[in-house]
Amino acid sequence: PFLDAAGAVPVYRPQDQSENDGRSIRANLEVFKRCRERLAAGGSMALFPEGISHSQFRLMPLRTGAARIAIDTGEPVAVCPAGLVFRDDDDGRRGTMLVVFGDPIHVRGAEGYAGRRQAIAGVTREIESRLRGLLVETASASEVAKLETLGVVWRQERGEPEPETLIDL
């Protein structure tokens, strides 16, 4: 109900077919059409271009859906990359989240590319590059803890105050 009220559009993944009333990824043709219509009408949406939810400390391989939707909208589209950083609370759950927004990528169909296929690959690479610029990727939570410790030492050496928010870390 919450997702419906927020105007969320479901995306169908092959691994979820049994949970999607038998709908396969072919159902995404209609989903992509709805997304393009929303953007062309001046609306906005949030997409997760990795195509999965995960708790890794690194960016997973991107899917091409975000680029395809932006390119095929028929109107100029601004893709605003957003990096998500989670900090576990004391019981090991995701406690605090930081969202860092990067500079927008202005997409005007396949303009600037040799064709649609090249545009999809290029825009996807640009989204990935921008996302990587917003994240500190590590192999594990222990590496994150080490980086935070280094930050504490660095701030103490410089006489800086303790961080109050995740962005200050």
Side-chain angles (χ1 to χ4, degrees):
F2 171 77
L3 293 175
D4 287 336
V9 178
V11 176
Y12 303 101
R13 304 179 311 170
Q15 63 265 39
D16 299 331
Q17 188 169 348
S18 63
E19 300 169 19
N20 292 329
D21 300 323
R23 292 184 195 95
S24 70
I25 59 172
R26 303 264 323 140
N28 287 328
L29 297 174
E30 180 61 29
V31 170
F32 281 23
K33 178 182 176 203
R34 288 175 58 193
C35 291
R36 289 189 307 269
E37 289 170 351
R38 180 179 291 174
L39 290 173
S44 62
M45 65 184 60
L47 299 172
F48 294 88
E50 293 168 295
I52 60 170
S53 176
H54 65 87
S55 57
Q56 301 294 315
F57 295 96
R58 60 187 167 82
L59 190 64
M60 302 302 282
L62 265 55
R63 310 293 299 214
T64 61
R68 289 187 290 151
I69 291 167
I71 289 164
D72 294 342
T73 295
E75 300 288 333
V77 173
V79 176
C80 186
L84 303 178
V85 179
F86 298 96
R87 183 173 200 169
D88 292 341
D89 61 12
D90 292 334
D91 64 5
R93 297 178 21 204
R94 291 180 177 167
T96 306
M97 180 175 70
L98 169 68
V99 181
V100 181
F101 294 96
D103 292 331
I105 302 163
H106 298 282
V107 179
R108 292 171 184 83
E111 182 180 306
Y113 295 94
R116 182 176 180 272
R117 218 174 242 179
Q118 291 81 5
I120 291 168
V123 171
T124 300
R125 280 192 306 272
E126 184 64 24
I127 293 169
E128 179 179 16
S129 174
R130 300 279 183 100
L131 287 172
R132 287 194 190 285
L134 299 173
L135 304 170
V136 175
E137 297 183 90
T138 66
S140 67
S142 66
E143 286 187 19
V144 171
K146 289 174 189 174
L147 289 170
E148 287 181 359
T149 300
L150 286 172
V152 169
V153 171
W154 176 260
R155 281 188 299 281
Q156 288 175 349
E157 287 290 321
R158 297 177 68 187
E160 296 177 357
E162 287 297 314
E164 295 182 17
T165 66
L166 281 177
I167 195 74
D168 297 330
L169 283 176

